Amino acid sequence: MIRPATLHRLAYPRVSSNSLARCRAIPKRALSSTSPTYLNEHLPKSTSPIVSNPHFFNSVTPDGSGIPTYRVLDGSGKVLEGAEVPEVSEEMAVKMYENMLLLPTLDNVLYNVQRQGKISFYMTSHGEEATIIGSAAALDNQDEVLGQYREMGVLLWRGFTLDNVMAQCFGTEEDISGKGRQMPVHFGSPAHHFHTISSPLATQIPQAAGVAYALKRDPERRGKNVAACYFGEGAASEGDFHAGLLLASTLPSPTVFIARNNGFAISTPSSEQFFGDGIAARGPGYGIHTIRVDGNDILAVLDATRKARELSLRDGRATLIECMSYRVGHHSTSDDSFAYRPRSEVEDRKRIDNPTLRFRLWLEGRGWWSEEKEKECKERLKRDVMKSFKRAEGVKRCEVGELFGDVYAGEEPWMQREQRAELASLLRKYGKVWGPWKKELGKFRNEGEDLMGKA
Amino acid sequence: MNVYQAVRDAMATAMAKDDSAVVFGEDVAFGGVFRCTMGLAEEFGKERVFNTPLTEQGIAGFGIGMAAMGHTAIAEIQFADYIFPAFDQLVNEAAKIRYRSGNSFNVGALTVRTPTMAVGHGGLYHSQSPEGFFMGAAGLKVVIPRSPIQAKGLLLGSIRDPNPVIFMEPKILYRSAVEQVPIDDYELPLGKAEILVPGQDLTLLTWGTPVYHCETAMHVLSNPAPELESLIPQSMRGVKIELIDLRSILPWDMETIVESVNRTGRLVIVHEAGMTGGVGGEIASEIQKRCFLKLNAPVRRVTGWDVPVGLQYEKFHIPDAIRVVDAMIETLTY
């Protein structure tokens, strides 16, 4: 049993806005100032020492100040005193930064595309670029990733193409994530070791423990790969969070849990999500090595994820990283977040604590980035995204019959077979005259011929 | 072998041939509360046969994760009554993963075993038959054996089926049903009913424990004890009942049942779960549609009442032989 990696005891920075300061205020947790007197005795079957005075405690830190937040770069991109910059080459740092820039480029286009009604739904990653790209860069590209839905950046980091993204969001026949069956942003790709996203929150957490156990049993991947599991602080309130951390620590399984604590679960602020010291404080209760990181500091996220990964591989057990950030964007395109938080709070946050700007300043300090590169990169990314978006617009959907495909493997049960035939006969009868179907059929490859036969 | 020994034998057979296969759940390491995993941990090691913390949603999710990596995951839920915490993982996740990922991920290697049905004194939470709740979960298979031979063959079929399967073992049969079970490797097909007794006057369809109540009912009908003789018309002595074990709930074997009812013109469905929303309603509706012109009587359902399983009332709750007898008489004399 080893102690968690050394933590830098730095208070989270206070920003000028009152609301932000309130949001970050951490209540004192220690209830009693009297510390227990340890007698040199133990209960049978326990190494817990015996004490003679009742002492309640309510914090994983002795002074009740809350788990500190690990940070490498300050808000102006300068390395904190005493902090060590994790090893990162110029090439990798630039790739990280370009991926950070790519996220909002894609987000802006797809958000607007949804607003125009061209796709049905979208969710941005605004504000969490450092958390997502920093952790993605620290993982091995073969590590199995189980995400929630705000982790498209991990896929992009691994080479999932813009065309792949567009195909999924538009649900075209090129959609390798799911043949157009799932809502936008529900990506997946076995080639990129990224398990297909599903909407039910937290279900991926115990699944990750199973994935990691399988990795440990596989002679080819044992000691080489972990399962990395992402979830938000809201999802961590689900029973599956408890189950997943419990299983990964007890069985045990090399799983790196990455909690994205962005302050909100749709409209619910984290103050209504939990009373304890965030998600990180729960880790030790499960016997899990835990760290809290400034999620807007990509170097801190990179370093913490690398170290968590090493610990998980070494011990074959779970680790937990809580990345503190702020959800700058709306929850989704179906949400107007100004109904429950002031616009000024969001604007303050964007200005004062911008993860991308912070990293850019550090890169510029090293001479690895410049105004010209910034301009060139942004233009190039925008051009690439627009090209991919325009292309996807013209691609047909799968054949209509895919509605009935892949429910089962092997012989297709009679229900699917008969219902496919029933839809076919209905389409033959009404497909050319019933408005809602007629219009829709035109969007599918072969316009329903796979079911109806040739006209 | 009895049923628990046959189940154990099936798992040992599967594990011997498939290094990726693991068995896990609450208390499985010492042999399981119903002895189904006796000696497996000693035989295959603790890495392959292990206890989990007490969390059904976790067990199901963990199994899904292993199966998503192509490993054979044989999970146990201690009682079918406790499968509901895992309902989300099974219905929203396991059932839909292949479909939602366009066949790029699947959890076909997952099997969830769970003891089911009444046991004489199980009360509300050691008696339930939740198969009907899973019937609408397209993507899952649901299988219920009636005997040791069936249990081994169907369980091996379930473990190797390329789809996630919920395998419900009627717990009252664990020790009571004994027969000669082949020790070699064999599978019975999923999705196929079995005609146990051929007949031409009435189709009696059931699965799990009530197979034996139905068998008794058929004997009572043809050869009633003296005290029942006055209650069972003479004309019933010679009727030929066709007894069918459905075996697979999802997908169910529509063709065999339709063929049978088209011959007999009468159908009685027997199951332990409550009537409303039960599997019998689904089958009755489909048979009514497909055999409308051949039916000589309404499809009759003999089921548990629409109440929880009250401890001291079990004998009046379950669809036992006399209730089946009565339903058959009414259907035959309609």
Side-chain angles (χ1 to χ4, degrees):
Chain A
M1 190 80 176
I2 69 125
R3 294 286 138 208
T6 313
L7 299 167
H8 297 269
R9 292 185 171 277
L10 292 164
Y12 203 88
R14 292 297 163 89
V15 291
S16 55
S17 156
N18 278 338
S19 60
L20 286 181
R22 218 172 30 246
C23 164
R24 289 289 171 201
I26 297 164
K28 291 280 180 199
R29 292 287 166 204
L31 288 181
S32 166
S33 57
T34 58
S35 55
T37 309
Y38 292 89
L39 310 174
N40 200 13
E41 287 177 50
H42 296 111
L43 293 170
K45 296 256 186 183
S46 166
T47 53
S48 168
I50 303 291
V51 293
S52 59
N53 57 327
H55 171 78
F56 288 86
F57 60 94
N58 192 1
S59 173
V60 295
T61 55
D63 62 356
S65 61
I67 297 165
T69 302
Y70 172 48
R71 171 185 263 201
V72 174
L73 295 179
D74 69 12
S76 58
K78 291 206 173 62
V79 177
L80 290 190
E81 199 184 322
E84 204 176 304
V85 173
E87 197 183 305
V88 56
S89 66
E90 177 177 354
E91 185 193 11
M92 180 160 162
V94 168
K95 183 183 171 192
M96 285 162 67
Y97 184 67
E98 291 201 358
N99 271 271
M100 285 178 91
L101 286 184
L102 176 56
L103 279 178
T105 311
L106 253 172
D107 282 351
N108 288 335
V109 169
L110 285 169
Y111 189 86
N112 289 321
V113 161
Q114 194 281 334
R115 282 295 178 242
Q116 294 159 19
K118 289 181 179 168
I119 61 174
S120 57
F121 180 79
Y122 192 69
M123 303 179 104
T124 68
S125 315
H126 293 309
E128 296 181 59
E129 294 89 347
T131 296
I132 295 161
I133 302 300
S135 55
L139 296 172
D140 185 285
N141 282 355
Q142 315 287 311
D143 288 342
E144 301 291 323
V145 171
L146 293 93
Q148 180 164 306
Y149 47 59
R150 235 180 271 286
E151 297 92 3
M152 178 175 68
V154 180
L155 270 170
L156 295 170
W157 176 263
R158 291 181 175 195
F160 196 74
T161 66
L162 293 175
D163 286 341
N164 291 153
V165 169
M166 294 296 169
Q168 199 283 329
C169 289
F170 281 81
T172 70
E173 64 177 330
E174 293 174 357
D175 171 25
I176 60 164
S177 300
K179 301 187 184 172
R181 291 180 183 136
Q182 288 213 92
M183 287 172 75
V185 309
H186 291 57
F187 302 105
S189 168
H192 298 94
H193 300 277
F194 193 97
H195 294 243
T196 309
I197 298 293
S198 73
S199 307
L201 288 179
T203 48
Q204 78 278 16
I205 304 176
Q207 292 171 10
V211 166
Y213 196 86
L215 287 172
K216 204 166 82 166
R217 289 215 64 224
D218 182 348
E220 303 278 305
R221 304 183 71 183
R222 179 185 305 147
K224 295 193 184 99
N225 288 124
V226 299
C229 180
Y230 291 84
F231 50 88
E233 91 285 352
S237 298
E238 294 282 1
D240 275 334
F241 166 87
H242 168 66
L245 271 75
L246 185 63
L247 286 163
S249 68
T250 308
L251 283 177
S253 314
T255 321
V256 177
F257 292 108
I258 302 170
R260 298 179 292 95
N261 186 344
N262 64 17
F264 291 94
I266 307 187
S267 76
T268 305
S270 53
S271 62
E272 292 169 21
Q273 201 66 244
F274 47 75
F275 180 66
D277 182 14
I279 310 305
R282 302 177 200 170
Y286 295 107
I288 289 178
H289 294 315
T290 301
I291 188 169
R292 175 174 286 154
V293 184
D294 181 348
N296 286 347
D297 176 356
I298 194 166
L299 293 180
V301 174
L302 177 78
D303 189 43
T305 311
R306 276 180 179 166
K307 292 196 163 94
R309 194 178 173 276
E310 280 161 24
L311 274 175
S312 275
L313 285 176
R314 195 196 66 185
D315 296 352
R317 284 184 188 273
T319 47
L320 170 64
I321 308 167
E322 183 182 25
C323 298
M324 310 303 290
S325 69
Y326 185 86
R327 197 196 74 213
V328 172
H330 300 302
H331 164 69
S332 73
T333 48
S334 307
D335 171 53
D336 170 16
S337 67
F338 301 134
Y340 50 81
R341 63 180 185 183
R343 192 182 288 263
S344 58
E345 179 183 314
V346 178
E347 292 305 319
D348 282 351
R349 176 60 69 161
K350 276 202 270 193
R351 197 177 60 248
I352 295 161
D353 196 9
N354 181 317
T356 311
L357 178 64
R358 206 198 280 196
F359 190 44
R360 178 183 167 184
L361 292 171
W362 181 77
L363 288 172
E364 288 181 348
R366 296 213 140 188
W368 290 354
W369 199 252
S370 63
E371 186 63 41
E372 299 82 71
K373 281 183 180 168
E374 178 88 3
K375 193 162 170 268
E376 180 280 323
C377 180
K378 279 186 168 169
E379 278 169 11
R380 169 165 47 86
L381 293 178
K382 187 152 189 210
R383 205 165 51 236
D384 291 348
V385 168
M386 288 309 291
K387 189 175 149 203
S388 203
F389 154 64
K390 293 220 166 79
R391 188 181 169 283
E393 266 197 306
V395 182
K396 291 262 181 185
R397 297 177 186 172
C398 288
E399 293 188 328
V400 184
E402 284 294 353
L403 164 63
F404 294 99
D406 304 326
V407 178
Y408 288 94
E411 193 195 343
E412 188 172 45
W414 56 270
M415 299 87 95
Q416 275 79 32
R417 210 168 51 234
E418 289 192 357
Q419 290 165 21
R420 185 202 306 269
E422 186 175 343
L423 177 63
S425 85
L426 285 164
L427 287 177
R428 279 193 291 271
K429 204 163 157 189
Y430 302 110
K432 297 253 173 1
V433 292
W434 175 240
W437 284 0
K438 193 179 164 192
K439 192 173 159 215
E440 202 72 357
L441 279 175
K443 299 174 187 167
F444 288 82
R445 178 147 59 98
N446 300 328
E447 308 194 352
E449 260 180 24
D450 63 308
L451 289 180
M452 296 187 281
K454 285 206 190 299
Chain B
M1 272 187 219
N2 60 27
V3 168
Y4 80 67
Q5 289 159 338
V7 166
R8 192 250 178 233
D9 197 45
M11 287 190 277
T13 304
M15 292 180 85
K17 292 198 175 167
D18 173 4
D19 282 340
S20 83
V22 295
V23 168
F24 55 92
E26 294 157 14
D27 306 299
V28 301
F30 88 107
V33 297
F34 288 110
R35 301 282 176 270
C36 292
T37 52
M38 283 277 277
L40 287 180
E42 289 76 12
E43 194 175 338
F44 295 99
K46 287 179 173 174
E47 189 191 274
R48 298 186 63 189
V49 182
F50 50 92
N51 289 339
T52 63
L54 211 161
T55 166
E56 285 78 14
Q57 63 195 98
I59 291 167
F62 185 86
I64 288 168
M66 287 208 75
M69 299 301 291
H71 291 234
T72 300
I74 308 169
E76 177 179 309
I77 301 291
Q78 203 159 71
F79 287 85
D81 310 65
Y82 306 129
I83 205 166
F84 299 110
F87 201 70
D88 182 44
Q89 285 284 356
L90 294 171
V91 175
N92 271 331
E93 297 289 317
K96 297 175 172 59
I97 284 175
R98 185 186 299 276
Y99 185 79
R100 76 182 185 211
S101 69
N103 203 26
S104 56
F105 286 95
N106 74 82
V107 293
L110 173 68
T111 305
V112 178
R113 293 177 39 244
T114 187
T116 189
M117 300 192 181
V119 69
H121 50 267
L124 276 71
Y125 306 110
H126 301 83
S127 308
Q128 292 180 56
S129 306
E131 65 270 17
F133 288 107
F134 292 98
M135 202 175 193
L140 290 182
K141 291 190 175 182
V142 180
V143 176
I144 305 179
R146 68 170 185 277
S147 72
I149 291 176
Q150 296 289 313
K152 181 175 173 183
L154 287 170
L155 181 52
L156 277 168
S158 299
I159 290 168
R160 292 160 180 169
D161 190 89
N163 298 285
V165 180
I166 300 179
F167 190 81
M168 298 182 167
E169 299 158 4
K171 67 177 98 59
I172 201 167
L173 305 179
Y174 273 139
R175 290 160 187 276
S176 61
V178 181
E179 62 190 348
Q180 293 286 336
V181 178
I183 51 164
D184 52 332
D185 190 344
Y186 68 96
E187 292 173 33
L188 293 172
L190 307 194
K192 294 272 179 271
E194 186 184 6
I195 299 175
L196 301 181
V197 181
Q200 72 270 348
D201 298 324
L202 181 146
T203 302
L204 184 56
L205 174 65
T206 189
W207 52 90
T209 310
V211 167
Y212 299 92
H213 298 311
C214 289
E215 215 181 9
T216 307
M218 287 162 66
H219 288 301
V220 171
L221 207 59
S222 59
N223 193 16
E227 62 271 24
L228 286 173
E229 239 175 298
S230 64
L231 294 164
I232 297 169
Q234 273 297 330
S235 59
M236 294 294 122
R237 301 294 186 275
V239 296
K240 299 282 185 236
I241 307 293
E242 178 147 304
L243 177 62
I244 302 181
D245 178 6
L246 189 62
R247 299 198 294 191
S248 284
I249 304 299
L250 181 70
W252 63 283
D253 185 354
M254 180 271 294
E255 282 176 15
T256 297
I257 314 306
V258 166
E259 188 279 325
S260 172
V261 176
N262 276 337
R263 263 190 293 111
T264 65
R266 291 179 167 88
L267 175 63
V268 173
I269 305 168
V270 184
H271 61 66
E272 275 197 21
M275 181 176 289
T276 304
V279 171
E282 180 59 39
I283 295 174
S285 157
E286 219 36 61
I287 292 302
Q288 180 271 143
K289 185 178 103 185
R290 291 166 196 267
C291 309
F292 187 68
L293 293 175
K294 296 285 176 69
L295 282 171
N296 297 318
V299 176
R300 179 69 182 256
R301 286 180 282 166
V302 184
T303 70
W305 309 117
D306 285 335
V307 299
V309 186
L311 180 66
Q312 308 295 7
Y313 309 92
E314 189 182 303
K315 277 279 181 288
F316 303 104
H317 178 80
I318 58 164
D320 76 346
I322 200 67
R323 287 185 55 200
V324 176
V325 165
D326 188 70
M328 288 198 293
I329 293 171
E330 289 200 5
T331 304
L332 285 161
T333 56
Y334 183 80

